[in-house]
Amino acid sequence: MNNDRTAALTKKNYKPKRSSFKELLQRNRDSGGYLFRKNVGHWFFVFVRGVLLFGLCFLILQPLLNKIALSFMSEADIFDPTVHNIPREFTTDNYTMTALLMTYWMSLRNTFFLTLVIAFLQVAACTFVGYGFARFKFPLKNFWFGCVMVLILVPPQTILSTLYLHFYNFDVFGIITFFRGLFFTPAQEGDVLGPLNLLGSPLPYLMMSATCMGLKNGLYIYMIRQYFRNVPKDIEEAAYVDGCGKFKTFYAIMLPDAKAIIVSCFLFSFVWQWTDSLFSNLFLRSMNVLSSTVGTLDESLTDYFISNYGRNAFPSLGYQQQIVATGMLMFIAPLILLYLVAQKGFVESISQSGIKM
């Protein structure tokens, strides 16, 4: 008993003895120089990896840090050659001015609710379509999936004019024109009630998202399809044996297991929709959203100066850059907050979907 206790205490308090420099040299000679080459290669790899990671992080963070420093500077600090990254006169007036020019809180509210609804519609529609491509056979299946690939490859700018004309004169086989002429009377004599003009409203955006024609929808369909293709079919067959239909098998068995890929697609959709300016400028010209207001900050600042200080009053170029930098920070701040809140779930969903895909 005492011997066991002594051995346990000795093992607990044991500290390995460090090899002396002479012993290391002897071991290196005994190994024919292998130990030295191994250690040198290891530390060289660690050094190069550290330099590359530092450089990469610096390239990513340096512009953001510059914008943060610029947003808290006064206009005098911009033209002071002794001020670099730390403001001499710390001020938050730039944020007050930017919030006024962007109508920030109203634009933030509109952007959040619109982005949330569109992301939900996109993920819901793409989940149904991706599951259908993965599990069912139907005529021209390969052709329709080829159309999905074209949707991924073709940039949306190529169909911008077509979308504009389509929603400017929106009609479905002449049905809308027929019913408008049947139930409504023209406001003035000679007017003709024709197709609807949906531009300036969120309806085109919502319709495209619900029909898998929204921003990046082809990519979401492909990701979800690849996920469901790798799920064993035995799970569905067992559900069919237990009396589940196709739809119940989908939402009760397959959908809960696909939470990881759905979360990934939802976060991607939310972020891309938040920063989109192409469709926002096309469909939402009469609606204040952040992606539109931040793109016209310099023009809004010029109009503000002219209306308040006279026709010949113009802001300096440095002050314009300050306001634009502040607007960009206020634009991406909700996305950074979203990432901090959903970081764990987002990383887990990406890793799980990557393993199963």
Side-chain angles (χ1 to χ4, degrees):
M1 179 69 69
N2 293 332
N3 294 335
D4 295 340
R5 184 177 180 183
T6 303
L9 292 174
T10 304
K11 185 177 181 181
K12 182 178 179 181
N13 298 326
Y14 172 75
K15 293 182 180 180
K17 182 181 178 181
R18 292 186 177 181
S19 301
S20 63
F21 183 69
K22 293 183 178 180
E23 293 178 348
L24 289 176
L25 290 179
Q26 183 62 39
R27 290 172 57 192
N28 182 60
R29 284 194 295 267
D30 295 339
S31 63
Y34 171 76
L35 183 62
F36 177 77
R37 292 193 302 269
K38 180 182 177 181
N39 290 333
V40 169
H42 170 72
W43 289 111
F44 178 77
F45 172 75
V46 171
F47 174 77
V48 172
R49 182 181 60 185
V51 170
L52 292 177
L53 290 176
F54 176 80
L56 182 61
C57 294
F58 180 79
L59 289 175
I60 296 174
L61 295 178
Q62 191 264 344
L64 182 62
L65 296 177
N66 283 346
K67 289 184 182 298
I68 294 175
L70 189 64
S71 66
F72 288 108
M73 290 182 184
S74 64
E75 188 174 0
D77 287 342
I78 304 175
F79 303 100
D80 190 345
T82 62
V83 176
H84 294 284
N85 292 322
I86 301 176
R88 177 170 295 172
E89 299 179 11
F90 186 88
T91 179
T92 58
D93 292 342
N94 295 326
Y95 287 91
T96 304
M97 175 62 71
T98 305
L100 176 65
L101 296 175
M102 294 176 61
T103 58
Y104 182 74
W105 297 111
M106 182 177 67
S107 300
L108 178 64
R109 183 181 66 250
N110 295 339
T111 304
F112 177 77
F113 285 109
L114 181 66
T115 303
L116 189 66
V117 172
I118 289 177
F120 176 79
L121 289 176
Q122 286 183 347
V123 173
C126 292
T127 301
F128 276 109
V129 175
Y131 181 74
F133 274 119
R135 288 311 203 201
F136 299 106
K137 294 181 180 180
F138 49 88
L140 301 177
K141 176 180 176 180
N142 293 332
F143 170 77
W144 294 119
F145 188 72
C147 293
V148 173
M149 292 294 101
V150 172
L151 187 63
I152 298 175
L153 299 175
V154 175
Q157 289 84 352
T158 58
I159 59 173
L160 201 61
S161 58
T162 304
L163 291 175
Y164 179 86
L165 294 175
H166 177 69
F167 289 109
Y168 182 76
N169 300 292
F170 183 76
D171 204 345
V172 181
F173 302 113
I175 297 175
I176 295 179
T177 301
F178 172 77
F179 280 102
R180 289 191 72 188
L182 187 64
F183 295 104
F184 299 94
T185 57
Q188 297 179 0
E189 187 177 354
D191 290 347
V192 178
L193 294 176
L196 293 175
N197 180 12
L198 299 181
L199 298 179
S201 70
L203 285 177
Y205 234 154
L206 299 177
M207 294 167 62
M208 292 178 62
S209 300
T211 55
C212 297
M213 280 297 296
L215 188 66
K216 308 291 185 181
N217 280 183
L219 178 62
Y220 308 147
I221 293 174
Y222 178 78
M223 293 173 62
I224 295 171
R225 178 222 182 217
Q226 292 301 105
Y227 177 86
F228 281 122
R229 284 190 65 187
N230 289 279
V231 176
K233 292 186 177 181
D234 297 342
I235 298 177
E236 289 176 308
E237 294 174 356
Y240 295 153
V241 171
D242 291 338
C244 293
K246 296 185 183 301
F247 184 74
K248 187 175 182 180
T249 301
F250 168 69
Y251 80 82
I253 306 298
M254 304 297 289
L255 201 59
D257 189 56
K259 183 174 64 175
I261 191 65
I262 291 175
V263 170
S264 301
C265 291
F266 181 83
L267 292 175
F268 282 138
S269 176
F270 191 92
V271 172
W272 274 324
Q273 183 59 47
W274 187 280
T275 58
D276 172 63
S277 60
L278 181 67
F279 289 154
S280 298
N281 293 330
L282 178 64
F283 299 131
L284 306 175
R285 294 180 180 179
S286 60
M287 186 176 182
N288 288 330
V289 291
L290 290 178
S291 59
S292 299
T293 55
V294 75
T296 58
L297 264 177
D298 50 352
E299 299 176 4
S300 301
L301 182 63
T302 302
D303 295 339
Y304 177 84
F305 266 70
I306 292 175
S307 61
N308 287 275
Y309 304 114
R311 183 175 298 178
N312 297 323
F314 294 95
S316 63
L317 182 60
Y319 187 60
Q320 287 184 353
Q321 295 301 318
Q322 270 190 309
I323 296 299
V324 172
T326 306
M328 291 300 299
L329 291 175
M330 296 173 68
F331 177 58
I332 65 174
L335 296 181
I336 297 175
L337 181 62
L338 174 66
Y339 174 75
L340 294 177
V341 172
Q343 178 185 11
K344 183 178 180 180
F346 179 68
V347 173
E348 288 180 356
S349 63
I350 290 294
S351 61
Q352 291 181 19
S353 60
I355 292 172
K356 294 181 180 180
M357 287 173 60

